[in-house]
Amino acid sequence: MADKITLSSPDITQREIDAVVGVLETQWLSLGPKVREFEEAFEQRLGVKHAIACNSGTSGLHMIWHSMGIGPGDEVITTPFSFIASSNSPIFEGATPVFVDIDPVTWQIDADLVESAITPQTKAVLPVDVFGATPDMDRINAIAAKYHWRVVEDSCEALGTKYKGRPAGTLGEAGVFGFYPNKQITTGEGGMVVTDDDEIATTCRSIRNQGRDEDAGWLAHARLGFNYRLPDINCAMGIVQMERLDEIIDRTEEMFVTRRAMRRVTIPVYSLLDHRVFDASLKKNYAGLDVEDLPHNFFAVSASLTTNDLHVHRHGPTWEAVRASAAIPGVLPPFITRSGDVLVDGGIVDNLPIAVMRDLKSGPNIVVSLRRQDRWRVQGSYESLPTRRGVLRDLLLVRWRKPTYPSLANVIVRGMSITSGRRLEETVEGRDLFVVPAGTEGVGFLEWEKAREVADAAYRYMAELLDRAGSLEALLKAGTQAASPAELTGTVARAN
């Protein structure tokens, strides 16, 4: 039988197991303190007034429609390109979903088609954050305000996503997240309603618990309700999952910045750096995680000195994929596979593998380059190059001086950047958008502490660029009229 590659897989550690067991050892299996603790984690993460835990994202959507009074004769505009629960939810209350097509570029509901679906019965719009992306929420909210509709955001697949700096799920009157095992975090089954509306929050809390008001007696039912409660067992698991939501980013920063895993120099026979320290950090941080089971879409690219081509890592141990793709020749030893293939950093062939990306996602894709734009010059002269005795003395005394001459590592990395950059500029097909953010300094060799700062700056630049363009389609169109790839600093251009 052929090996099965799962579409997605939950990431469960001993911490989640211990948290669940801890609840089982108490008397509070449901309606206990873990429910509120889980809700507070969402309120703090998203910056909302209210989070209401429930037993599924589907239940969350149903509760919102019920609390808004959406019912028979009403219509809700939404997308057909979603799991069936999105469309089922208004039907539960007797309302009718009305479909509009998706944007062929983003796969999200096409905001420009929303008004074409309006009838006198239209009362709400339900945008769905498909595959963790968001539609044009500014445009959708503007249309909704014009016609006095309710806006409910189905963010079941988008925990952690941001739209112009605002978290997904907070872009309408209310939003919903789901915790089925294929989501960013899981509680086995579960969901969460988030809103700043006091009335929606109060009603949802009541109807998830058989219509009881908070602090009311067990048999005091103020309204028709449902059993949509999420047990403390599931909430305990969700609390840990929320704490681990940024784990991959935090793991990487801890490994490179705090523990300085790639700064241990060795005797330069096979490499400049001691690979054992780096390998141990990778194994610890990615223990038991395979590429295909990561909660984020991930691939790594190395260069095979065996096949003289790029090697794409789409499955297998994550630590090996990261290790192979980081093996800068001369800096770290090559990674050797079980079959004997020799793998090094993919940058010696292509540091921005657009062709590989296209195979995984046809696009159009936006490619953001953080490469340095400066002309590399040094203060020292050729005569300042230390002698063998001087280099040895500095190594033995662990003496640190500001370099006046390019190091071996810097020369290797800069050379790889030039090679891959020239290849990128020679690849022009007009499908994807290549962007170099204005003022980007890039991340130099071993400058790990700058990685997050530069990435955040690039994100803000792209958000501003999209905002100015008005839409992704307009931005892609503008790219065809911009400068050539060789003149890209602070501009956009079609480079691929």
Side-chain angles (χ1 to χ4, degrees), residues 45-109:
R45 171 84 188 199
L46 273 64
V48 294
K49 287 179 64 177
H50 306 287
I52 303 95
C54 53
N55 60 7
S56 71
T58 308
S59 300
L61 287 169
H62 183 199
M63 291 196 303
I64 292 173
W65 297 129
H66 189 88
S67 67
M68 287 181 170
I70 300 296
D74 295 336
E75 293 180 352
V76 176
I77 296 176
T78 189
T79 170
F81 190 59
S82 175
F83 186 60
I84 195 170
S86 303
S87 303
N88 280 347
S89 63
I91 297 175
F92 294 156
E93 290 295 304
T96 302
V98 176
F99 297 132
V100 298
D101 207 348
I102 60 173
D103 185 310
V105 174
T106 66
W107 298 357
Q108 309 298 312
I109 185 172

Side-chain angles (χ1 to χ4, degrees), residues 18 24 90 92 94 124 137 173 218 231 294 322 332 352 376 396 400 433 435 448:
D18 291 342
L24 293 174
F92 294 156
M137 289 301 298
E173 289 181 73
W218 186 252
L294 290 172
V322 177
L332 284 172
L352 207 58
W376 191 31
L396 291 175
W400 171 252
L433 187 67
V435 180
W448 307 108

